[in-house]
Amino acid sequence: MLSHLTQLVADVDGAWAAAIGGLDGLLVEGHAAAQADLNLLVAEHAGLMRASGAAYGDTLGGGSVRELYLRGERLSVYLHPITSAFFLLLALDARSNLGQARLYGRAAAHRLEALL
């Protein structure tokens, strides 16, 4: 799994970390090209994935969350579900390419699904 995450960071312009997280908030595997607390990133974003899933699926009737992108002043994160219990997190900087994140992130999630 680590090789897939390392390759994802290398392939996406502006990506500096990739991780597999559980919706329980635990880090399964991760790779960071910069100093980062991947445990904290996964824990915080697991809550956002659970909340968005409940909002879209239960409250709004919009079905399952297919992807989630959050952009802050200094941090952007692309999230993609892998299975019903795990998600892919891709951390991006200001010069990131969201199109690449979506394309390569979706492909990586499909490859990782077979390993989980």
Side-chain angles (χ1 to χ4, degrees), residues 7-49:
Q7 188 63 51
L8 182 59
V9 171
D11 288 343
V12 177
D13 293 339
W16 53 270
I20 300 167
L23 288 178
D24 59 2
L26 298 178
L27 174 67
V28 175
E29 183 69 85
H31 165 74
Q35 185 70 7
D37 186 347
L38 294 180
N39 288 302
L40 180 61
L41 274 171
V42 165
E44 292 295 337
H45 288 88
L48 295 170
M49 285 293 287

Side-chain angles (χ1 to χ4, degrees), residues 50-65:
R50 287 191 310 271
S52 62
Y56 270 72
D58 301 336
T59 306
L60 301 173
S64 299
V65 172

Side-chain angles (χ1 to χ4, degrees), residues 71-89:
R71 182 173 180 179
E73 290 180 31
R74 291 181 291 276
L75 170 68
S76 296
V77 172
Y78 173 76
L79 304 167
H80 193 287
I82 300 172
T83 68
S84 61
F86 300 102
F87 64 93
L88 173 69
L89 179 149

